[in-house]
Amino acid sequence: MNGQLRDGVVAVAGNARQQFHDARGYGSPDGGNAISLSRVEAAHLLLRGDLDHVVDGNGTHLGFEAFFADSAAAVDRFALRFLVYAELRDRGFYLSPAREGWPGDDDTEWTDLTVYPRGTKPGDGDPAHRIVVVGERAAVPAAELGGVTLAVVDEESEISYFETDTPDFDGGTTYQPPDALSGSLLDDRVVVWDAPEGFFDHGFYGQPLTAREAIVDSAVQLSLVEAAGLAAEGVLDLQGVDGPAVDAIRERGRAVEGERFDRRLAVYRTLRDRQVVPKTGFKFGADFRTYNTVESVDDLPHSECLVRVLEADHAFDPRELSLDVRLAGGVRKRMVFALTTAKGEVEWLTVSRVTP
């Protein structure tokens, strides 16, 4: 059996619909018993020996090698898409290209392949994965992720899969700080000298300034982002500072870390508004680690997420993404990216490794 290459699609007649589409989920019906195959599907059937050759527009008979080379020259990322397609087929999945008129087409230019749950065929129910295929050196726009599975093909043709989604923060920290706090702005932190009971122990704000046999036992050091968050809520004033405390703290924060401070502050406040406690993620190479529910620091749960704050138009280097996700998985946390705009708007993205 052979196919005819026309306008980037391979037409196969005979009993192709029964043999390839109905039985094994290849291609799209094209009237009667004929089907249309995408290049990647036709290449897979050529590799398996199910198709003898494909005839191009010049009448040349192309076997697998010639057709593969022709397709790689004609189609963006063809070799990468083929590797992913072939691996998922070998794992027992039915899948189809995300192409107009093909089963499972989700009308997005971003998706490359649509994968169906095991035991189901194209068009039967919702897809298990919508696959985006990239090479390890590609730039991956963060804004395009969420709801897709990223298949990254490295330089040795090994494939790593990353599931992307929008996380839900289910916070349950009910502690409310008092209406009036006073502190001192000292270098890159703020010290609240007379912190009220529960401020650290139940609200998990700052770190106590303590030592053995200390005569001061109620001082708490706040990071600049914690202090700015409290000042923005109108509950923290600064001693010896004229004007709004939040302006002074923001100015110091910008001096310390530039414009990133405002984006980190926007993420911090958003998390606190959702009753989630953000603390520094420095030890993990992140901006924050988060705790959904804090009742007492003496009975503190493990943090659930690592959060990196990025610009809304950030493009991932797949190696960077792999490193972050691997680290988070190694410490049993979820990797979350906070995509922030200049206006302080935050979009959330979570990424985790997955084995289809």
Side-chain angles (χ1 to χ4, degrees):
M1 185 175 293
N2 57 62
Q4 299 289 325
L5 178 61
R6 304 188 188 97
D7 298 325
V9 174
V10 176
V12 184
N15 66 340
R17 175 165 183 168
Q18 179 182 2
Q19 183 177 351
F20 297 137
H21 177 75
D22 294 346
R24 294 151 61 190
Y26 286 91
S28 175
D30 195 21
N33 291 323
I35 62 170
S36 294
L37 299 171
S38 69
R39 280 183 178 265
V40 73
E41 292 174 309
H44 193 248
L45 289 172
L46 284 168
L47 179 65
R48 290 172 49 88
D50 293 319
L51 283 181
D52 298 320
H53 53 260
V54 170
V55 182
D56 68 11
N58 297 319
T60 304
H61 289 208
L62 306 176
F64 171 74
E65 292 182 11
F67 182 76
F68 191 96
D70 181 80
S71 297
V75 179
D76 179 47
R77 295 173 292 118
F78 173 81
L80 303 183
R81 294 183 190 188
F82 178 82
L83 287 169
V84 175
Y85 182 91
E87 181 184 78
L88 291 172
R89 275 280 182 180
D90 287 345
R91 292 188 182 194
F93 287 100
Y94 287 143
L95 64 159
S96 60
R99 182 185 180 110
E100 184 177 358
W102 255 248
D105 171 54
D106 58 2
D107 296 324
T108 66
E109 296 181 1
W110 179 236
T111 306
D112 292 302
L113 301 168
T114 305
V115 183
Y116 305 94
R118 292 183 187 276
T120 64
K121 296 179 181 179
D124 293 345
D126 294 329
H129 302 280
R130 289 185 169 91
I131 303 285
V132 176
V133 181
V134 298
E136 69 166 89
R137 298 180 183 87
V140 182
E144 298 288 347
L145 299 177
V148 300
T149 299
L150 194 65
V152 180
V153 184
D154 68 22
E155 64 181 1
E156 295 185 354
S157 298
E158 294 188 0
I159 305 168
S160 298
Y161 296 92
F162 299 91
E163 188 173 54
T164 70
D165 207 346
T166 303
D168 291 323
F169 287 101
D170 187 19
T173 304
T174 58
Y175 175 84
Q176 294 293 322
D179 293 336
L181 294 169
S182 180
S184 299
L185 178 58
L186 305 173
D187 195 20
D188 65 348
R189 62 206 63 220
V190 171
V191 178
V192 177
W193 299 106
D194 190 16
E197 183 178 356
F199 185 61
F200 170 73
D201 294 332
H202 300 296
F204 207 6
Y205 283 97
Q207 289 291 333
L209 182 62
T210 61
R212 289 185 179 180
E213 301 180 0
I215 61 173
V216 176
D217 62 2
S218 59
V220 170
Q221 299 180 82
L222 298 171
S223 71
L224 289 176
V225 74
E226 289 176 308
L230 289 166
E233 297 297 323
V235 301
L236 175 65
D237 290 322
L238 295 179
Q239 299 171 6
V241 173
D242 295 328
V246 66
D247 291 345
I249 299 170
R250 276 179 169 158
E251 183 178 353
R252 184 66 57 84
R254 290 164 183 163
V256 169
E257 60 178 304
E259 55 84 24
R260 286 192 71 253
F261 181 79
D262 291 286
R263 292 189 282 111
R264 291 179 65 240
L265 177 58
V267 173
Y268 178 89
R269 294 188 66 191
T270 300
L271 289 169
R272 278 287 186 178
D273 286 345
R274 296 187 181 187
Q275 297 185 323
V276 173
V277 176
K279 300 294 286 185
T280 178
F282 176 80
K283 292 182 180 179
F284 304 102
D287 289 289
F288 300 108
R289 68 189 195 276
T290 64
Y291 300 84
N292 284 344
T293 303
V294 175
E295 296 181 357
S296 171
V297 172
D298 292 333
D299 189 24
L300 193 66
H302 288 290
S303 57
E304 294 88 6
C305 298
L306 297 181
V307 179
R308 276 192 65 199
V309 180
L310 303 172
E311 295 181 7
D313 61 354
H314 180 78
F316 287 108
D317 178 333
R319 295 186 188 187
E320 162 200 18
L321 189 64
S322 179
L323 178 62
D324 283 337
V325 173
R326 176 67 74 183
L327 188 150
V331 293
R332 291 181 288 183
K333 303 184 193 306
R334 181 171 55 164
M335 192 68 225
V336 176
F337 300 96
L339 310 177
T340 62
T341 68
K343 296 181 179 179
E345 301 162 326
V346 182
E347 296 289 338
W348 302 99
L349 173 70
T350 183
V351 183
S352 58
R353 283 184 177 268
V354 65
T355 300

Short mmCIF file of all heavy atoms in Angstrom, two decimals, residues 88 157 315:
data_model
loop_
_atom_site.label_atom_id
_atom_site.label_comp_id
_atom_site.label_asym_id
_atom_site.label_seq_id
_atom_site.Cartn_x
_atom_site.Cartn_y
_atom_site.Cartn_z
N LEU A 88 5.24 7.79 21.99
CA LEU A 88 3.92 7.62 22.60
C LEU A 88 3.15 6.48 21.96
O LEU A 88 2.41 5.76 22.64
CB LEU A 88 3.14 8.94 22.51
CG LEU A 88 3.70 10.06 23.39
CD1 LEU A 88 3.01 11.39 23.09
CD2 LEU A 88 3.55 9.72 24.87
N SER A 157 18.12 13.04 21.83
CA SER A 157 16.80 12.55 21.41
C SER A 157 16.04 11.84 22.53
O SER A 157 15.10 11.09 22.27
CB SER A 157 16.92 11.61 20.19
OG SER A 157 17.46 12.30 19.09
N ALA A 315 10.22 33.95 28.84
CA ALA A 315 10.34 32.75 28.01
C ALA A 315 11.32 31.81 28.70
O ALA A 315 12.45 32.19 29.00
CB ALA A 315 10.82 33.10 26.61
#
